[in-house]
Amino acid sequence: MNRSLNVRKSLLTLGAALPLLAGPALAQTPPAPATSAAAVPAVDPAKVVARVNGIEITEGDLAIAAEDSALQMPNVPDEQKRELLTGYLIDLKLGAKAAEAAKVGSGAEFARKLAYNRDKTLLDEYLEQESKKAVTPEAARKLYDETVKSVPAEQEVRARHILVENEDEAKAIATRVKGGEDFAKVAGEVSKDPGSKTDGGDLGFFTKDRMVEPFAEAAFKLDAGQISDPVKSQFGWHVIKVEEKRNKPAPTFEETKDQVETYLARKAQQDLILGLRKNAKVERLDAKGNLVEQKQP
């Protein structure tokens, strides 16, 4: 596995290793970092966009509706999406007023649903608020630096190869290129690998795990500039020339920035919930109403 992928996987593994806690708020993906004010014009949330029976619908109402996971329309143009959301809010206001007139909101079941949705919205907002505090440039850079340091450097090589069908052909080709013929030119003439033939057999840089075992073993034993004896794999017979060896560069901070920020946001949310549980008295009851043994989260 190359080092760039190792660093990315390490960041993702850190996030995956956090305990999964019950609750829809914790299952959501943390919001993307806020776009700068210069990039997005400020919109007055109190600006009225529609009225229905005198009830105002505002830009703020539209923004809230746009965040509703049930109303996501990823392939709809912005203007059309805005029209659809406005229409939905008009119907919502009409329907809510009709439901009030029918006294739908007077029952105990409705009160329970209302309380649940209020709690969920409060928790969602609180988690978002706390995760935004945690995702700072300093924290992101620190996590990136620590992760990169913890992942060992991995060697990779840049090599060319010539692929033929049998050992006798491979031996003849090895004699030619070891005798001084241009490896890239010979590869272009005789190699059976269509993917690299036109590039003079050039496979670019690769780590050991990306190639079949006999090929990888031979390539990584060679020093830069050396040419192998014929090597057999399930694809045929190879003659390999190593052009360069190096340690795989780590991905840049910018390449992993989104993953770093996602981890920081998730960890802040998980730490918050774990802290609340730790300081709470939680009692669970079985079907008969008896206390059951409590387990630490």
Side-chain angles (χ1 to χ4, degrees):
M1 184 176 295
N2 63 55
R3 192 176 185 217
S4 174
L5 186 56
N6 269 341
V7 172
R8 288 188 175 89
K9 289 192 74 174
S10 293
L11 291 169
L12 290 175
T13 301
L14 286 171
L18 293 171
L20 295 176
L21 301 176
L26 297 183
Q28 66 186 17
T29 302
T35 308
S36 67
V40 179
V43 176
D44 181 3
K47 182 181 177 182
V48 177
V49 298
R51 292 187 184 89
V52 53
N53 291 336
I55 302 172
E56 294 181 344
I57 295 171
T58 66
E59 288 284 359
D61 296 327
L62 278 175
I64 292 172
E67 293 175 0
D68 189 338
S69 59
L71 300 177
Q72 296 306 299
M73 297 172 274
N75 299 318
V76 177
D78 288 345
E79 281 303 313
Q80 185 180 354
K81 186 185 300 183
R82 182 181 175 85
E83 285 297 313
L84 291 169
L85 288 175
T86 303
Y88 170 77
L89 287 171
I90 289 170
D91 293 340
L92 185 64
K93 295 294 185 185
L94 288 170
K97 279 297 180 183
E100 282 182 351
K103 304 204 181 292
V104 170
S106 61
E109 185 64 22
F110 180 83
R112 278 191 288 271
K113 288 181 180 179
L114 195 61
Y116 169 81
N117 282 295
R118 182 179 184 278
D119 288 347
K120 180 181 180 300
T121 302
L122 280 170
L123 177 58
D124 285 349
E125 290 294 319
Y126 188 32
L127 290 172
E128 183 176 345
Q129 173 183 303
E130 293 304 304
S131 65
K132 283 181 178 178
K133 291 179 185 177
V135 183
T136 65
E138 296 77 17
R141 174 60 71 172
K142 181 181 178 183
L143 176 60
Y144 167 80
D145 290 341
E146 289 174 350
T147 305
V148 168
K149 286 179 184 177
S150 70
V151 176
E154 188 171 14
Q155 193 175 62
E156 63 178 3
V157 302
R158 175 174 166 244
R160 298 178 186 272
H161 83 135
I162 299 169
L163 176 66
V164 291
E165 294 179 353
N166 60 66
E167 186 177 11
D168 289 339
E169 287 181 273
K171 285 180 177 178
I173 289 164
T175 299
R176 289 173 61 184
V177 293
K178 287 184 178 183
E181 285 195 55
D182 183 80
F183 194 98
K185 183 179 179 182
V186 176
E189 291 173 357
V190 303
S191 181
K192 304 297 183 183
D193 177 12
S196 66
K197 178 176 181 176
T198 55
D199 293 323
D202 194 351
L203 298 169
F205 280 101
F206 55 87
T207 48
K208 199 170 185 179
D209 64 297
R210 289 183 56 194
M211 297 295 175
V212 294
E213 189 171 341
F215 186 99
E217 287 294 331
F220 277 81
K221 285 179 182 176
L222 297 171
D223 292 326
Q226 285 188 316
I227 297 171
S228 74
D229 292 328
V231 177
K232 189 177 188 302
S233 77
Q234 66 259 45
F235 302 106
W237 288 84
H238 310 261
V239 178
I240 305 164
K241 180 183 180 183
V242 169
E243 297 284 2
E244 187 179 348
K245 296 180 94 168
R246 70 179 185 185
N247 285 334
K248 176 70 177 178
T252 66
F253 174 71
E254 288 303 319
E255 289 173 327
T256 58
K257 187 170 180 282
D258 288 346
Q259 290 161 304
V260 171
E261 291 181 347
T262 294
Y263 169 76
L264 288 171
R266 286 179 177 167
K267 186 176 187 303
Q269 293 177 353
Q270 299 281 17
D271 288 348
L272 174 62
I273 295 298
L274 288 173
L276 292 174
R277 284 189 180 181
K278 183 178 180 181
N279 296 317
K281 180 181 179 181
V282 178
E283 296 178 322
R284 296 182 185 237
L285 308 179
D286 61 20
K288 296 180 179 179
N290 299 315
L291 283 172
V292 297
E293 182 181 355
Q294 304 299 298
K295 296 180 180 178
Q296 288 295 108

